[in-house]
Every structure is written in C-alpha cells, then in structure tokens.
C-alpha cells in the first residue's frame, strides 16, 4: 500500500501567520462573512465611523455575505446593545457623585488640618463642583444623538442604512435537519475544545443553539463557498 508523505506545513497551516501577500490577496478576493458583533458595533461608534464601516462593507459587493446565525444574534442582542449607553451614563453619573462626595469630604478634612480660611474652602469646593458638573453636562449632551430602545425602527439610522447595504447578502435559514445536525456538531466541538467555534462555552445555557453559534456561522460561510458540501470539517488549530 502506497503511503503518502507530507511536508513540514501539511496539516499544520493554522500554526503559522500568513504573509503580507497572503493578507493582501485575501483582502482583495476573499468572501467576507459578517459576525453579529460587527453589525452590533455600529451602535457603539460615532457617526463618521459608522459611515466609514458601511462604505467598506458596500465596497465589498458580491464578496459580502451574512450567515443566518449572525443575523439571528444581531436581532437577538440589538436592544440590549442600544440600551447600554443609557446604563453607562447612569454608571458615570453615579461615579461622579461618589467622587464629588469623597473629594468634598477629603477637602474638608484637609482644610481642618491646615486651618484653611473658610472663604478659600468655599472657593475650592465651588471649583470641584464646577469641574464635575462640566464633565456630567458634556456627557449628557452626547446621549440625544444615540439611538434608544424606544426609537421606532424606521427612525433607527443604523438599522435602515445597514439594511440597505445588506440587501440580498443574507444567507437563507438552513433546513431544520441541517441546522439540528450542525448544532450537535458545534456542541461536540465545544466539549472537545475543537476549533472552530469552541470558545462560546459560557453561552451554553443562554440560547436555543447553546454554544454552537460561532460554529453555525463558520459552517454556513464555508457551505456558501462550496455548495456541494465537500468542504473539510476536520479538526483545525485555528478558530
């Protein structure tokens, strides 16, 4: 029986970093499959960055695809991401108030130690309040530009602009039997710590597909490249 021999890199490609030429070629020719976090991050960027990212995605043309699982996770997590700025603002205001109280108390204790004149202490406390109030005011002014959970969908500029860019780019929902089989495979890979898609173990109890979400994105992306299903799903060293 003939035994096939291999070279140093055969089967171990994932251990090595691609060359500059490899990266340039991939950027120019590869299919780009969007993860949900790429789309959700548009709610975290300023207006110019959102425009830049959407322009890049639009320029990809037919090379851009969105696996069905990515869209599921986008819609599933969208409202919680939108609400984060409000929660973060409350956290900031609470922290500023705590800082105000701590600094004011420390200032008062220091004034006693050095026998500070009362008029000077009053001015210093005024300066402290003015500085913290200024930070809070400028932070609050940012919020009206943000989309909130109660913004109607047709007034959500990120949603409408993203929808235009991704029109005709979203891969269809897999057949139930295929989806179920791939979920089982994804969960097996998580248990075996086998890439791709095993780093979502903490999501095992959070959604119907368990921790298999990343694997479902990978599986449908590769299937899009090779509809015959002849792609290699053997263990790999890179996620």
């Amino acid at each position: 029986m003939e035994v096939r021999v291999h070279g140093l890199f055969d089967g171990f490609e994932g251990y090595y970093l691609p060359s500059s030429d490899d990266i340039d070629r991939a950027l120019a020719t590869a299919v780009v499959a969007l993860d949900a976090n790429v789309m959700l991050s548009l709610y975290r960027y300023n207006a110019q960055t959102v425009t830049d990212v959407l322009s890049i995605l639009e320029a990809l043309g037919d090379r851009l695809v969105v696996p069905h699982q990515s869209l599921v996770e986008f819609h599933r997590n969208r409202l919680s991401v939108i609400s984060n700025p409000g929660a973060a603002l409350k956290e900031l205001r609470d922290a500023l108030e705590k800082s105000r109280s701590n600094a004011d108390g420390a200032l008062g204790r220091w004034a006693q130690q050095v026998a500070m004149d009362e008029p000077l202490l009053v001015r210093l406390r005024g300066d402290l309040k003015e500085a913290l109030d200024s930070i809070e005011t400028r932070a609050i002014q940012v919020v009206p530009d943000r989309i909130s959970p109660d913004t109607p969908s047709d007034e959500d500029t990120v949603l409408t602009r993203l929808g235009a860019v991704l029109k005709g780019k979203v891969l269809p929902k897999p057949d139930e039997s295929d989806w179920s089989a791939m979920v089982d495979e994804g969960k097996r890979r998580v248990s075996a710590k086998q890439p791709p898609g095993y780093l979502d173990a903490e999501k095992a109890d959070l959604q119907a597909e368990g921790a298999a979400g990343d694997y479902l994105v990978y599986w449908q992306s590769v299937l899009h490249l090779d509809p015959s299903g002849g792609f290699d799903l053997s263990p790999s060293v890179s996620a």
Side-chain angles (χ1 to χ4, degrees):
M1 180 178 66
E2 182 179 356
V3 178
R4 181 184 175 190
V5 295
H6 300 279
L8 176 65
F9 304 104
D10 295 327
F12 298 93
E13 293 83 0
Y15 282 100
Y16 300 94
L17 294 176
S19 68
S20 297
D21 289 342
D22 291 334
I23 295 174
D24 289 342
R25 185 164 52 253
L27 290 174
T29 64
V31 169
V32 176
L34 287 190
D35 182 77
N37 283 327
V38 175
M39 297 180 283
L40 291 171
S41 290
L42 294 172
Y43 286 106
R44 304 182 179 106
Y45 299 147
N46 61 44
Q48 184 57 56
T49 302
V50 170
T51 297
D52 292 342
V53 172
L54 290 176
S55 295
I56 292 171
L57 296 180
E58 193 170 27
L60 291 171
D62 292 339
R63 294 198 290 126
L64 178 66
V65 298
V66 181
H68 182 264
Q69 180 65 26
S70 294
L71 203 61
V72 168
E73 294 180 13
F74 169 77
H75 286 297
R76 177 190 290 158
N77 297 312
R78 174 177 161 270
L79 288 180
S80 63
V81 170
I82 292 173
S83 67
N84 280 343
L89 177 62
K90 183 181 183 304
E91 182 180 354
L92 172 62
R93 298 179 78 167
D94 290 345
L96 289 173
E97 185 57 37
K98 184 177 180 179
S99 297
R100 187 197 314 274
S101 177
N102 290 340
D104 187 79
L107 187 58
R109 291 188 293 273
W110 180 59
Q112 289 181 340
Q113 290 291 326
V114 300
M116 182 185 297
D117 292 337
E118 183 65 21
L120 176 57
L121 177 59
V122 171
R123 289 199 300 273
L124 290 176
R125 280 177 164 158
D127 291 342
L128 174 64
K129 182 179 185 302
E130 182 179 352
L132 294 176
D133 285 348
S134 176
I135 293 173
E136 182 175 340
T137 298
R138 282 182 285 176
I140 292 173
Q141 289 173 346
V142 176
V143 175
D145 296 328
R146 296 287 183 178
I147 297 164
S148 64
D150 58 357
T151 300
S153 296
D154 61 354
E155 296 178 16
D156 181 335
T157 54
V158 169
L159 196 62
T160 54
R161 294 172 68 188
L162 185 61
V165 171
L166 299 184
K167 186 175 182 179
K169 307 293 185 184
V170 179
L171 300 179
K173 182 179 180 180
D175 292 337
E176 187 63 31
S177 59
D178 289 339
W179 186 87
S180 179
M182 290 305 102
V183 167
D184 290 343
E185 172 63 10
K187 292 179 178 178
R188 183 196 68 77
R189 286 171 177 259
V190 170
S191 298
K193 294 186 178 181
Q194 176 183 331
Y198 74 92
L199 295 178
D200 269 353
E202 72 279 3
K203 299 179 182 178
D205 300 323
L206 300 180
Q207 53 245 341
E209 68 276 9
D214 282 353
Y215 180 72
L216 292 172
V217 171
Y218 164 79
W219 166 71
Q220 194 174 35
S221 301
V222 178
L223 185 62
H224 174 70
L225 294 173
D226 184 3
S228 68
F231 50 84
D232 182 14
L233 290 177
S234 59
S236 169
V237 296
S238 60

